[in-house]
Amino acid sequence: MALPPEKASELKQIIRQQLTRMDVHGRIREVLAETIREELAPEHQQLSVEDLMKALRRRGIIDDVMKELTFVNNIDPTRRYLYLQVLGGKAFLEHLQEPQPLPGQICSTFTLCLHFRNQRFRSKPVPCACEPDFLDGFLLEVHKDSLGDGSKMVDATTMLSICDPVHMVLIKTDTFGETTLVASHFLEWRSVLCAENSLTNVAVELLGVGTESKVSVGVLNIKLEMYPRLNKTLSEEIVNTQLALEHQKTAEKERLFLVYAKQWWREYLQIRPSHNTRLVKIFAQDENGINRPVCSYIRPLRAGRLLDTPRQAARFVNVLGYERAPVIGGGGGKQEQWCTLLAFLCRNKGDCEDHANLLCSLLLGYGLEAFVCVGTKAKGVPHTWVMTCGTDGTITFWESLTGHRYIHNPINPDDPPLVEQPKPTYPYRTVGCVFNHQKFLGNCQPSDAVEVCVFDLHDESKWKPMSGEAIKSVCSPGATTSLPPFPPLCTSTIDAATTSNEIELQLRILVSEHRKDLGLTTVWDDQLSYLLSPALAAYELERTTSISAGNEEFQDAIRRAVPDGHTFKGFPIHFVYRNARRAFATCLRSPFCEEIICCRGDQVRLAVRVRMFTYPESACAVWIMFACKYRSVL
């Protein structure tokens, strides 16, 4: 695409700015003087261009320039960009005693994840240290959301009205691949609009999460720069006034919603005093300890081409890891922490509320009427799950932690004893409220037991609704500046075939070593291993669609592969992580699997097959099957 002359000159200007910023001319002069002094013998009075290029290349100047020009080539001169550079960290005191990692040694790492206006970025992992060596740059495009404005060059005044923060999430990955959420920070970037040369440096203090949300975990040195540079910067007073005004408006909207929520709760308790014990959750704390309306954790989320069906979306949510929010100290209490979507996705694991919120958002994106249900499971354990209401009145429960679906048929307590009642298959006991991004309804039926609940959400004698306008005032996109924007899903970065092969090879070594310790030899049957593949594919298909297929062909192939007088045994198992040693240890705890791995007999042949299925956000389902065949000796 040919650029118009004014844009071409603008691009040249950006390149000139970059070269000036790097002081390329000064560095070339230094190299030229040094080369003449050191390398030019008295008998050679001429220095060729090749000699100078060699000297520049040797000192890394050409590489530096090419890197900068590659960066400039990513800039579309018809757009405005914010270039965010992370130039190291300091005061990560928890890692004060961390030894310097040796070359090639596996160590714990920090990774910084960013989201800004539908763009996602991830830094290179750096070893955990008191002063982590972050050195990364991210080119964030600033543009208007409305169609047709994307190609206009936005000025400083227009950008001042863009209140989306840069959401930064810091993740720690330990030597076993386990992730921990370290910090979640919303960076206010608009200070760069009043900075000289459209460039500013900021020290960002990161606070911890959950019970440590008031404790500093470290400081990041960040440089913000606008590209192309602003022709006219704003005064600091204008920027500060705008930020104060936004904060004031948000605080007022949140205050009014709180007043309304208190009034709604009083009315709800007046219906029946026992409502006081029901799980009606209007607010929930996020990872930073901030109370937010539960409706703000939901938003219709479209997965693009990454997920094709609602059931595939349920499978994706199910393979994201489950972990209860950590509690410091004993007592067995449950720490409340509903994560923002970016924190949940970057960490790749979360509590049942995080899973339910994501699944509900995805189902809404597929055009279903979906709600998150807050209630209890057996023994009164608090739990959340998802519910969809069909146009024919069918109520379906979706368990976000397993991917299971259940049809709800309520029991009528007024029926005569002889009338056969449906037997619930779901694990849920009570339900206190249901909500999505637009609605919040408290259960005001005589009993909150799920099995007798009627989910006619339009009947106000059964479900007390909150005002849709009140919810919209604080939960609709852009309603308040305190609402974290929803990030898009990212495609998987895992090569399924390569990783499957690697895990399979590691498992073969682990099995051989284990059998050697028992004084057994190991002979692998590659053909039998290959024949296990269709079974693993069928298992994943069944988990995703509830449809079983291909079993006849698999059984026929195994019968042909196992000679008469021989016995075949197989053991499939499923994981959502990629650690072969951890998977092997888990397999050995199963008596059936141990029997196969430690098989003794005549003509014993072993087989193992690994098949990984990848999902967005690098989530994965790993299926492993161990098998053996041996001659039966009576």
Side-chain angles (χ1 to χ4, degrees), residues 562-569 599-605 628-634:
V562 179
D564 288 343
H566 283 64
T567 300
F568 170 83
K569 289 181 181 178
C599 181
R600 297 167 183 266
D602 187 20
Q603 296 180 28
V604 174
R605 298 291 181 269
C628 67
K629 64 177 183 180
Y630 58 93
R631 190 174 176 190
S632 306
V633 180
L634 295 173

Side-chain angles (χ1 to χ4, degrees), residues 504 508 525-533 606-609:
E504 197 171 297
R508 282 195 174 202
D525 186 329
D526 290 342
Q527 175 62 8
L528 185 60
S529 296
Y530 179 69
L531 295 184
L532 303 177
S533 291
L606 290 169
V608 63
R609 191 66 170 171

